[in-house]
Amino acid sequence: MTKFKLRSSALEILLRVDNGGAFSHLLIDQMLKSNRVSEKDHGLLTEIVYGTIQRKLTLAYFVKHFVKKNARLDSWVEWLLYLSFYQMYYLERVPDHAVIHEAVGIAKERGHKGIASFVNGVLRQAQRKGFPGFENIADDVEKLSVITSHPRWLVSRWEKQYGYEKTTAMCKANLETKPFSARIQPLKLSREKAINKLQSEGYDVAASAFSNQGLVVKGNLLKSSLFQTHMVTIQDQSSMLVAEMMDLAEGMTVLDACSAPGGKTTHIAEKLNNTGQIHAYDLHDKKAKLVNTKAEQLELTNIVAKGADSRQLANFHEECTFDRILIDAPCSGLGVIRGKPDIKYQKKEKDITKLAMIQRELLEKISPLLKKDGKILYSTCTVDREENEQVVQSFLEDNPDYQVDPTFFETLPDVMQGSFGISDVGLQIFPDDFQTDGFFLTRICLK
């Protein structure tokens, strides 16, 4: 595959993400599985697509510097300039002349000679003059927004919630690549054996401090023999902490109210040593089937996954049925930006308020299904207080029989003790804390 075709494929993905709201990681996966991209080009394609999306607002700032204000550019021309600027500014190993040559070729193929001449002129001007700095941006929030390519509304919101210093750290962390993390299937092998096996295959491996099943791995774990034989499951360390903090014991009856795609569900099943029963639900039947498929791959037999609106589960289960309940609530996903950079552009501030209402309703509707001595684990993969602390506080105020489990904080892993993110109602993990996803979790019980 020529680099011309590689960059054309990258542009195609970027346009589909921009126009249709498709997720970049899914489109990249489809492209890599096709015959259009040679294996040696997988890394560069992935880097160009993710990097261009991650840095979109910074790249737009550069484009505005070199293009007249009244110029109207087609979407594909804008994205072609973005991906070209990304390579010129951020990728030292890619020569500028190669980037410009390929971009002009794409412009000729997609447009006409005039467009190709325009693209050539803009890129050569940047090559000749260099890219503009950020010192002329007077407003600190605006400057941070441009430098780290986070929407201004989001930077402003986080700054009000956590202060400028923490917001800066989060935004910068969201631009970094985190290491692979995974958990072992403990019914099949020990963590020690998994580490030895991966090391023998050339991986740099360490034990996770979040879970006794967890591994932190440098290298493409997807190509490992353990992943391909379902001996390990790819899962972020923050996500692993959910099952660890549910205080599970063998034989329990567990509800996972928002289970797809099944990472936390199957972790719970493993913690139960494949005993008891897990009733797993997702709003869509198709996604519930993903949970069953994951359970089959891991040879777990204590999971029953179905499609249903979890706000209506009282139609299927009696009150006081479950020993443990997990509500891994649908959320804005603002804690997983570094892995899914599209999120920061697709989400709007109004979405957060709508999601908080759903999260609050889930707690209200599901909590009666808990046994008197049971516990609810509430979690999200976001860092926004309206979806986290405020949802929990609101629920506790309206339901005075419930409380945050006082033993929750003392059972957190040692690495979490004294964390910036510990509040009266739970633990907020930030993306800059441990090279993991941003995550919130707390444990609720009856008084």
Side-chain angles (χ1 to χ4, degrees), residues 205-411:
V205 191
S208 169
F210 287 57
S211 167
N212 58 16
Q213 293 176 235
L215 304 170
V216 181
V217 183
K218 291 182 179 178
N220 188 355
L221 191 59
L222 300 178
K223 295 183 178 181
S224 71
S225 62
L226 292 185
F227 174 78
Q228 293 174 0
T229 55
H230 308 297
M231 304 291 274
V232 298
T233 298
I234 303 295
Q235 187 176 18
D236 186 76
Q237 294 182 86
S238 296
S239 178
M240 289 183 220
L241 190 60
V242 170
E244 296 292 344
M245 294 304 300
M246 286 181 69
D247 193 18
L248 297 162
E250 289 189 16
M252 283 184 168
T253 302
V254 179
L255 170 64
D256 186 348
C258 311
S259 61
K264 300 178 187 68
T265 316
T266 51
H267 192 189
I268 294 168
E270 292 165 356
K271 299 295 291 184
L272 293 175
N273 200 26
N274 208 22
T275 67
Q277 189 166 46
I278 303 167
H279 295 266
Y281 291 93
D282 192 88
L283 186 59
H284 304 287
D285 288 327
K286 186 177 181 180
K287 289 188 176 181
K289 289 178 182 176
L290 294 176
V291 181
N292 283 323
T293 299
K294 188 65 181 174
E296 290 170 8
Q297 290 172 345
L298 295 171
E299 298 180 30
L300 298 166
T301 58
N302 58 346
I303 297 171
V304 178
K306 298 177 181 178
D309 185 338
S310 290
R311 291 169 291 188
Q312 308 298 327
L313 292 183
N315 296 330
F316 306 104
H317 300 284
E318 299 286 339
E319 289 189 4
C320 305
T321 294
F322 296 102
D323 298 293
R324 296 290 184 270
I325 294 175
L326 170 59
I327 303 176
D328 184 46
C331 70
S332 62
L334 296 174
V336 298
I337 286 173
R338 79 167 89 195
K340 299 177 181 178
D342 334 47
I343 288 174
K344 60 185 175 182
Y345 311 117
Q346 293 174 354
K347 296 297 181 184
K348 307 297 180 186
E349 194 159 15
K350 63 183 180 182
D351 295 334
I352 295 174
T353 298
K354 291 179 181 177
L355 286 162
M357 292 173 65
I358 294 171
Q359 294 153 0
R360 178 68 175 77
E361 189 177 2
L362 283 166
L363 271 170
E364 195 72 40
K365 297 290 187 182
I366 294 171
S367 56
L369 303 180
L370 185 70
K371 288 183 178 179
K372 299 303 181 185
D373 59 348
K375 297 178 182 181
I376 298 172
L377 199 294
Y378 174 83
S379 64
T380 72
C381 58
T382 185
V383 294
D384 197 278
R385 281 186 164 149
E386 186 174 353
E387 298 179 84
N388 297 334
E389 289 101 322
Q390 291 176 27
V391 167
V392 176
Q393 287 169 341
S394 173
F395 172 76
L396 295 177
E397 288 170 3
D398 291 346
N399 297 273
D401 291 339
Y402 290 86
Q403 64 178 346
V404 174
D405 182 358
T407 66
F408 170 75
F409 299 101
E410 63 192 50
T411 53

Side-chain angles (χ1 to χ4, degrees), residues 24 43 57 84 142 152 183 325 334 359:
S24 57
L57 299 184
S84 300
E142 179 68 20
R152 181 188 168 88
R183 67 168 206 275
I325 294 175
L334 296 174
Q359 294 153 0

